[in-house]
Amino acid sequence: PPLPHGIRPGSAQAGSPNQHILPLTAAVTPAGDLAVGGCSVPALARARGTPLYILDEFTARHACRLFADSLRAAYPGPTRVLYASKAWCCVALCRLVSSEGAGVDVSSGGELHTALLARVPPAHIFFHGNNKTRREIEEAVFCGCVLVVDNWHELRLLADVVSGRAPPAPPTPFLVRVAPGIECHTHEYIRTGHLSCKFGFLPDDLPRLLDHVRQLTAPGALDFVGFHAHIGSQIFALQPHADLAANDGVLAGGLARAHGLRPRTLNVGCGLGVAYTPTDRPPSIQEWVASVARAVACACRDAAVDPLPELLVEPGRAIIGPAGVTAYTAGSRKASADSGDPATSSCDLLPCSSGEHVPSYLCVDGGMSDNPRPITYGAVYSAVVANRMHATAQEVVRIAGKHCESGDVLIREATLPRVQTGDVVVVAVTGAYNASMASNYNRTPRAEAVLVAGGAAHTIVQRESYEDLVRRDALPPHLALCEEAPSSHDTRWRVRECDWIRSKHAGSDQSS
């Protein structure tokens, strides 16, 4: 779908999505409402309920095309974009990126199943993970996707699985993941390139590994495709990625060939950061791709690699993160004792035991169950009041979730207009690692997700119900509910009353 002024996905005029805090189609209506994909966000919140994930189709498609077009322009060999589905894996998103020509990388049997349901060609699916089960390796082998082997244990499992296939089975393609020993500035939990991380073969193991790979591939049941390496996520510096790309080129040209192997593919992962706040300054997609492509091409040329290997990149956050926002409904406030009316206080501060003062709490109807990144990584976000975009910012608030956890805070300091109960608060850049990491903490039903484009909104993930929450629960025989006559403490009537209340509020805010 084009932008309102006719710009289509992939056009340089639309900019690089990872440098934008709101989706590229974000606009303000004459009534002062935030609109995304031509849909009023407050209207979506009223019709669909909150919390609500809203994903802009234009922004996601535009990012896919920018990666693909930039790769073709910058690298003189074959290229491919793989969507890192761990960022957000559902059938609709796998289908969307596949329709843009991208492959999908998966990290579990469940993600593989989702990609296959989306009709992603198996040859375009790359299976990652540092501890794949035998069942997962069997599923990958028999569906025909590409395995990324992470360690000796997986290599032995893979060899055993393919040895049991009936001939004439096609050879199973696989890459070897290497820990490159490259440090980068990002959170410890998402740093994956240093030598002490859990991923990949260590450089000192490579000579023995490559000898073993040559022996395994000789019978023809396995096909060594190339190397994979990844240094982390949410990285703003270009140099670590250029170093990684050059390192992969050296592997392809020198060490592998010295052991009788000719890798055809180099997968450098991604990790390109996105802007979560106005002060974040990540490089553009085009800049990142040019830096990586140049480093790979130069390293391969210096090592006399001809033809050039296929260059693969695996963006996840950079494709889907900026395309998503989450809408919440504002609820309770908590202000300092001397602030007066909490609904009209401008910048109330609560004293902490440490002596620090913190803003008043503004509580919303979601939190760590739909976005665990702040409590897990200390991630920082930006927010707007979607039904009053023209209003002037007048207060600093701490946006807190509804869960029974003191750390359930989405944004520690948000500068907003005076927020009233019932306002629609939107947190930006939530397309990546929100829905995919969501939980049922406090038995909270997981939120609905909609894809918006051209003024239409389509459900891509349904909101969970209370029935969904207990669907997998089971009672052992000695705890089974017996059919006794109703008594004064019988709770079955209360369940029926709750059913009636839920039907009355169907489609509205789950906290109503």
Side-chain angles (χ1 to χ4, degrees), residues 216-250:
L216 285 177
T217 55
L222 287 170
D223 178 20
F224 171 66
V225 175
F227 294 102
H228 167 76
H230 183 58
I231 59 173
S233 187
Q234 187 56 8
I235 301 167
F236 287 4
L238 290 174
Q239 191 58 48
H241 287 110
D243 292 343
L244 170 67
N247 185 68
D248 281 2
V250 171

Side-chain angles (χ1 to χ4, degrees), residues 105-123:
D105 92 47
V106 301
S107 302
S108 71
E111 288 181 351
L112 173 62
H113 180 69
T114 303
L116 292 172
L117 279 181
R119 300 293 188 266
V120 179

Side-chain angles (χ1 to χ4, degrees), residues 345-362:
S345 62
S346 59
C347 187
D348 304 313
L349 297 177
L350 293 169
C352 289
S353 58
S354 63
E356 174 197 6
H357 284 76
V358 299
S360 301
Y361 284 99
L362 166 68

Side-chain angles (χ1 to χ4, degrees), residues 381-446:
Y381 284 89
S382 301
V384 297
V385 181
N387 56 305
R388 291 194 289 121
M389 294 294 288
H390 290 320
T392 303
Q394 293 181 314
E395 64 176 349
V396 178
V397 294
R398 178 160 291 185
I399 301 178
K402 62 175 290 183
H403 301 289
C404 192
E405 194 84 25
S406 295
D408 182 23
V409 173
L410 292 173
I411 302 179
R412 297 184 67 81
E413 292 187 1
T415 304
L416 299 173
R418 288 179 179 148
V419 183
Q420 301 168 3
T421 299
D423 281 345
V424 178
V425 177
V426 163
V427 176
V429 200
T430 58
Y433 304 106
N434 278 223
S436 66
M437 298 176 71
S439 74
N440 292 125
Y441 184 54
N442 291 156
R443 280 287 187 164
T444 304
R446 281 176 287 197

Side-chain angles (χ1 to χ4, degrees), residues 142-216:
F142 287 98
C143 85
C145 74
V146 183
L147 272 156
V148 181
V149 176
D150 203 270
N151 49 60
W152 289 105
H153 169 71
E154 288 189 355
L155 192 58
R156 295 186 193 100
L157 273 180
L158 174 59
D160 189 52
V161 168
V162 298
S163 68
R165 300 188 72 189
T172 296
F174 73 98
L175 285 82
V176 167
R177 178 163 184 168
V178 178
I182 294 174
E183 297 286 348
C184 59
H185 181 69
T186 190
H187 194 282
E188 176 188 358
Y189 293 173
I190 51 178
R191 198 182 304 146
T192 60
H194 55 290
L195 295 180
S196 59
C197 78
K198 67 177 183 176
F199 297 106
F201 289 91
L202 295 173
D204 289 347
D205 289 337
L206 291 181
R208 184 165 66 98
L209 168 68
L210 295 177
D211 275 340
H212 191 61
V213 166
R214 187 185 69 251
Q215 295 168 18
L216 285 177

